[in-house]
Amino acid sequence: DTGVSQNPRHKITKRGQNVTFRCDPISEHNRLYWYRQTLGQGPEFLTYFQNEAQLEKSRLLSDRFSAERPKGSFSTLEIQRTEQGDSAMYLCASSDSQGAGQPQHFGDGTRLSIL
Amino acid sequence: RKEVEQDPGPFNVPEGATVAFNCTYSNSASQSFFWYRQDCRKEPKLLMSVYSSGNEDGRFTAQLNRASQYISLLIRDSKLSDSATYLCVVRNTGFQKLVFGTGTRLLVSP
């Protein structure tokens, strides 16, 4: 399967714990994005990398959230001191940078539940 | 006001019906436009890009009206498998992030 891969698929944790998610983009894509989706809403943008550089960050990305893409390949999203409001589906997407308006392709997501 | 507005539905239609979804966007700097499809508890999947001249892909037709900042999706001869949430998506000039509407839910019944 050459699509975007995310793990874990599901994460259940207690409030206050730290969690880390991983995303492996489509291999030839140099752009990687993180979104969050809650029930009944469309995905909301969190952050974007081109290669290893983090170029866009949403105000939604509070100081408890950090994302990295150290070698320009896979990315991790860490949430520290989780809160109930962090419960959501965390989606990763990737795209090619060639040409304008390249569509983004999404992974299956990581569903986070905070107890 | 949300940057991308859609009627959440649900739209309940019988098999074989034609159904149209509309979407408006508020940022005149929006540059790229897409329709994504999302099945329940699954990831969004690209259905089609939307071009100013309008474009068609089988039973699906997308239209863009830049002057009115309005995007539409027409589905002809609906199938049971078309039941899903359809997300209207824009990308603004100078940014890579996608801005999603809340989605319109479609239910096609036998």
Side-chain angles (χ1 to χ4, degrees), chain A residues 2-17:
Chain A
T2 57
V4 177
S5 175
Q6 291 187 247
N7 65 79
R9 292 292 307 277
H10 303 274
K11 180 70 177 178
I12 301 173
T13 193
K14 292 182 178 179
R15 183 167 51 93
Q17 298 294 305

Side-chain angles (χ1 to χ4, degrees), chain A residues 31 33 35 37 40-43 45 48 56 89 91 100-104 106-108 111, chain B residues 2 31-32 34 36 38 41-44 46 49 87 91 94-98 100-102:
Chain A
R31 289 178 171 166
Y33 314 81
Y35 292 84
Q37 186 174 25
Q41 301 297 314
F45 171 77
Y48 150 62
E56 290 177 30
M89 173 77 91
L91 292 160
Q102 290 297 321
Q104 297 175 20
F106 285 81
D108 292 344
R111 186 170 297 279
Chain B
K2 286 184 177 290
Q31 180 182 29
S32 304
F34 308 93
Y36 276 73
Q38 187 170 29
R41 301 179 76 83
K42 299 282 192 179
E43 77 277 19
L46 178 67
S49 300
L87 296 160
R91 186 178 68 84
F95 295 92
Q96 295 302 321
K97 69 176 185 180
L98 297 180
F100 287 80
T102 55

Side-chain angles (χ1 to χ4, degrees), chain A residues 59-100:
Chain A
R59 288 171 297 171
L60 290 175
L61 213 68
S62 75
D63 56 3
R64 295 186 299 106
F65 288 70
S66 62
E68 293 182 344
R69 196 183 182 198
K71 297 181 180 179
S73 56
F74 74 91
S75 176
T76 58
L77 177 68
E78 181 183 17
I79 309 174
Q80 295 182 327
R81 305 181 303 282
T82 52
E83 301 174 356
Q84 293 275 348
D86 297 332
S87 295
M89 173 77 91
Y90 289 83
L91 292 160
C92 177
S94 69
S95 71
D96 193 343
S97 60
Q98 298 301 314

Side-chain angles (χ1 to χ4, degrees), chain B residues 5-7 11 20-24 35 70-73 88 104:
Chain B
E5 300 252 25
Q6 293 183 255
D7 181 342
F11 284 56
F21 304 137
N22 303 320
C23 162
T24 56
W35 283 101
Y70 171 97
I71 306 163
S72 66
L73 177 68
C88 179
T104 298

